[in-house]
Amino acid sequence: MSRPPTFTPPPCATAHTLPTRRGRFAVLDGRPSGEPLGTVLLLPGFTGSKEDFIALLEPLAKAGYRAVAVDGRGQYETAGPDTEEAYAQGELAADVLAQAEAVGGPVHLLGHSLGGQIARAAVLLDRSPFTTLTLMSSGPARVSHSQRERLALLRDALAGGMTMEQVWEAMRAMDPPEETPVDGDELRTRWLRTRPAQLIVTGRQLSEEPDRVAELAAVRRLPLHVISGEHDDTWPVEQFDAMAERLGARRTRIAGARHSPNTDRPQETAAALTEFWDDPHGDWSESHNGDTAGRNGDSEG
């Protein structure tokens, strides 16, 4: 579970609901002081929310970008039905296209983990609203074996009748003492407000997602960026390297970060993102093998 440093947005951002042709979505809308250089749509991962991007909003605004972080349907402060059909990947991807239309394009699209796979599906449905696509800690296909086992336990618990409160208490009991969250009340509230059907279906998606890298690579004239921490237990980091190579994408590893560089190293992550957005058609051939030292400020020790 991602753990944002705070649930309080910075002064540059406002919390509101975004009306779209597919319903209303809760967002954090970070804006620069002047005319934006571009607009970024940020999609959170599994069990996450728009707050996972809070630490990025201010540095992105200072760099001149408007950044809109969104709760997908059934996530935290965005309502969602209790039917599993509503959370099929195609439905979530169609939501992203509606969100991009509502914020006004063209849009730099970024998805973290599960959000990256939904972002990929949206681009494969319709590439036209997007200036670039960034996949953050989001692999080419299904998650690692250990993660699939954890997802199966969660799905079985929720499908078997355990309440969200009961599952939360069980997860906290398994946490090592050093991982007990300081902001546990806010994390608990976010968990309890997420729809169980959303978790069941998207957890299954993460466990079964096919490799669609070739399809994405065939999308013409869309600059791509694969960014991750230098360690990750959801997908092996080597899979991100290989995926970037297959895509011809820029590849960035954020030193000192794990599965959530957006919360682990937000300043370094924001710098890498804005460097890409400032020059999305640049020659990133030097970084295709994960060697980003000197390109984004990382020092791979």
Side-chain angles (χ1 to χ4, degrees):
M1 177 180 293
S2 59
R3 292 172 177 172
T6 178
F7 275 65
T8 303
C12 69
T14 58
H16 63 90
T17 57
L18 179 72
T20 80
R21 55 184 166 81
R22 289 178 62 85
R24 302 177 69 87
F25 295 85
V27 301
L28 294 176
D29 194 338
R31 295 176 181 257
S33 57
E35 188 69 20
L37 296 175
T39 297
V40 185
L41 184 63
L42 304 169
L43 311 181
F46 186 69
T47 74
S49 68
K50 60 192 179 302
E51 284 73 20
D52 294 343
F53 299 108
I54 272 182
L56 290 182
L57 297 179
E58 189 167 44
L60 293 183
K62 287 181 176 178
Y65 286 90
R66 178 191 178 195
V68 181
V70 61
D71 287 341
R73 67 165 68 187
Q75 281 185 318
Y76 191 26
E77 293 182 322
T78 293
D82 294 324
T83 58
E84 293 191 11
E85 295 81 5
Y87 303 102
Q89 189 182 76
E91 293 294 318
L92 302 181
D95 286 348
V96 173
L97 295 175
Q99 294 156 11
E101 177 185 281
V103 300
V107 169
H108 297 286
L109 181 60
L110 180 151
H112 173 240
S113 195
L114 170 71
Q117 297 191 338
I118 295 169
R120 179 173 70 180
V123 166
L124 292 176
L125 278 178
D126 184 0
R127 173 256 185 274
S128 62
F130 306 113
T131 302
T132 67
L133 172 62
T134 297
L135 302 175
M136 178 183 286
S137 304
S138 185
R142 64 183 185 175
V143 294
S144 66
H145 178 72
S146 62
Q147 291 296 316
R148 295 198 301 273
E149 289 183 331
R150 295 179 66 179
L151 289 168
L153 288 173
L154 175 59
R155 291 198 308 273
D156 289 347
L158 292 173
M162 286 184 70
T163 66
M164 291 290 281
E165 177 69 40
Q166 290 171 327
V167 174
W168 173 261
E169 294 300 330
M171 292 191 303
R172 294 285 69 81
M174 292 187 291
D175 274 350
E178 64 272 14
E179 292 188 9
T180 300
V182 175
D183 53 356
D185 288 344
E186 290 171 316
L187 289 175
R188 175 180 174 275
T189 298
R190 178 174 72 175
W191 172 263
L192 293 178
R193 293 186 66 176
T194 299
R195 296 291 189 185
Q198 193 266 358
L199 293 171
I200 291 171
V201 176
T202 58
R204 187 182 302 123
Q205 289 172 15
L206 284 168
S207 297
E208 299 175 355
E209 179 75 359
D211 188 320
R212 305 187 73 185
V213 174
E215 293 177 69
L216 183 59
V219 177
R220 299 185 62 189
R221 294 186 295 276
L222 180 66
L224 302 169
H225 188 187
V226 176
I227 185 169
S228 73
E230 60 183 346
H231 303 288
D232 199 300
D233 59 2
T234 304
W235 287 273
V237 171
E238 294 74 19
Q239 287 191 12
F240 300 137
D241 297 341
M243 180 173 69
E245 187 74 27
R246 293 169 63 195
L247 291 171
R250 183 181 185 186
R251 173 73 177 107
T252 304
R253 293 193 201 184
I254 300 297
R258 300 186 68 86
H259 185 61
S260 298
N262 44 309
T263 59
D264 295 344
R265 293 291 187 272
Q267 294 293 333
E268 295 87 345
T269 300
L273 293 172
T274 56
E275 185 179 32
F276 171 64
W277 296 329
D278 287 347
D279 186 16
H281 295 282
D283 179 8
W284 306 119
S285 57
E286 295 176 23
S287 64
H288 285 179
N289 291 320
D291 180 8
T292 60
R295 299 304 298 273
N296 60 16
D298 289 353
S299 56
E300 303 256 335

